[in-house]
């Protein structure tokens, strides 16, 4: 059942920026959102060009001691495929600042789900989430909490990162794609356990080496982005049927 928080949301588009996508410039707007403790949450909001209909959307959550810039290699492929992208700085990180609080980070993610559903160009029945490392654990739990979240994609999840434990969400029937490196022992072991306990539609993708979370983009970007796009297309198509 979707969590509902009786909160006033204050939203402001404060900055227009761009990242380089090969030879094209990918524009975005930076968004502010007020959290339950009045912390100002920050995210970059990307929309595909020449949209005529509402589009599916994807939320991105980074790793511990990282920030939203870690997803810049992946974002062009998502936008080119027609997805709206919300690239978040979690609390305690990047421009959001504040202190780490993972329970509140899960609550913050629900606020971002709610915010996306208020955007006219977003198909509110087609929202997914991607996380890396502890961000993947947050993503798995947040998607399970939100009854309308279509799927979660977890890059290098763990059984227990800083007390964030997504095993119950996996066992609760969540549809998810789990990605890790074979020699990233903690995540590889977690994925084996999650797969064994899963009751939903679950797929895995394992890579050589030990790259963790968004560091997989350094050497495996084409393969990882391809796997993510294929999974999203399959999951969103199933919802649309």
């Amino acid at each position: 059942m979707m969590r509902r928080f009786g909160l006033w949301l204050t939203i402001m588009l404060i900055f227009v920026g761009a990242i380089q996508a090969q030879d094209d410039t990918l524009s975005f707007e930076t968004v502010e959102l007020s959290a339950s403790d009045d912390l100002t949450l920050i995210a970059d909001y990307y929309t595909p060009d020449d949209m005529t209909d509402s589009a599916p959307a994807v939320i991105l959550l980074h790793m511990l001691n990282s920030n939203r810039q870690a997803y810049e290699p992946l974002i062009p492929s998502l936008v080119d495929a027609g997805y709206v992208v919300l690239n978040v700085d979690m609390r305690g990180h990047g421009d959001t600042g504040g202190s780490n609080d993972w329970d509140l980070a899960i609550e913050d993610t629900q606020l971002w789900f709610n915010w996306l559903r208020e955007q006219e160009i977003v198909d509110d029945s087609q929202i997914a989430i991607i996380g890396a490392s502890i961000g993947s654990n947050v993503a798995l739990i947040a998607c399970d909490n939100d009854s309308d979240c279509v799927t979660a994609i977890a890059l290098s999840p763990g059984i227990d990162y800083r007390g964030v434990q997504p095993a119950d969400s996996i066992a609760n029937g969540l549809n998810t794609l789990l990605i890790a490196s074979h020699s990233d022992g903690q995540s590889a072991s977690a994925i084996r356990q999650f797969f064994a306990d899963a009751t939903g539609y679950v797929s895995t993708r394992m890579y050589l080496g030990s790259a963790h979370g968004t560091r997989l983009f350094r050497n495996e970007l084409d393969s990882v982005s391809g796997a993510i796009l294929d999974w999203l297309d399959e999951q969103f198509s199933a919802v649309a049927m």
Side-chain angles (χ1 to χ4, degrees):
M1 183 176 182
M2 186 189 298
R3 288 185 178 179
R4 297 190 181 275
F5 302 101
L7 303 174
W8 290 97
L9 308 184
T10 60
I11 304 161
M12 182 184 302
L13 300 180
I14 62 168
F15 177 72
V16 176
I19 62 173
Q20 198 70 23
Q22 297 178 346
D23 295 330
D24 299 322
T25 299
L26 197 60
S27 299
F28 61 85
E29 296 171 309
T30 297
V31 179
E32 289 187 352
L33 181 63
S34 182
S36 61
D37 60 351
D38 294 327
L39 179 68
T40 299
L41 309 174
I42 301 293
D44 291 334
Y45 180 60
Y46 299 80
T47 57
D49 292 332
D50 302 322
M51 290 180 56
T52 57
D53 298 311
S54 59
V58 182
I59 299 173
L60 306 179
L61 302 180
H62 55 75
M63 300 194 293
L64 180 69
N65 298 326
S66 183
N67 58 52
R68 66 193 193 276
Q69 292 179 344
Y71 276 105
E72 288 183 357
L74 178 66
I75 290 170
S77 62
L78 292 171
V79 176
D80 287 347
Y83 295 114
V84 171
V85 176
L86 188 69
N87 188 22
V88 174
D89 267 345
M90 293 190 292
R91 61 174 56 234
H93 297 79
D95 292 331
T96 291
S99 302
N100 292 341
D101 184 317
W102 301 108
D103 289 335
L104 285 178
I106 294 168
E107 180 180 313
D108 297 340
T109 306
Q110 183 63 61
L111 298 180
W112 286 120
F113 275 117
N114 297 345
W115 184 85
L116 275 174
R117 292 190 176 102
E118 294 174 352
Q119 307 313 304
E120 185 175 356
I121 65 171
V122 173
D123 183 340
D124 60 10
S125 69
Q126 295 203 335
I127 300 178
I129 189 165
I130 302 172
S133 193
I134 196 167
S136 68
N137 286 22
V138 171
L140 290 164
I141 294 170
C143 188
D144 182 43
N145 288 344
D146 186 310
S147 61
D148 294 323
C149 177
V150 173
T151 188
I153 298 173
L155 305 174
S156 309
I159 296 292
D160 184 343
Y161 290 147
R162 305 291 176 105
V164 185
Q165 303 173 25
D168 287 347
S169 296
I170 298 289
N172 197 34
L174 186 65
N175 291 350
T176 183
L177 173 63
L178 305 171
I179 298 174
S181 300
H182 284 290
S183 297
D184 183 5
Q186 191 172 1
S187 292
S189 177
I191 283 181
R192 288 191 289 270
Q193 186 62 55
F194 291 154
F195 193 81
D197 294 340
T199 60
Y201 182 24
V202 177
S203 185
T204 64
R205 176 69 68 94
M206 300 296 294
Y207 289 92
L208 297 175
S210 59
H212 184 77
T214 50
R215 296 189 186 100
L216 283 160
F217 300 154
R218 295 175 183 174
N219 296 318
E220 305 290 353
L221 177 61
D222 289 345
S223 180
V224 174
S225 63
I228 287 172
L229 291 172
D230 288 346
W231 179 261
L232 290 173
D233 181 63
E234 179 181 5
Q235 295 299 304
F236 286 134
S237 296
V239 171
M241 291 178 62

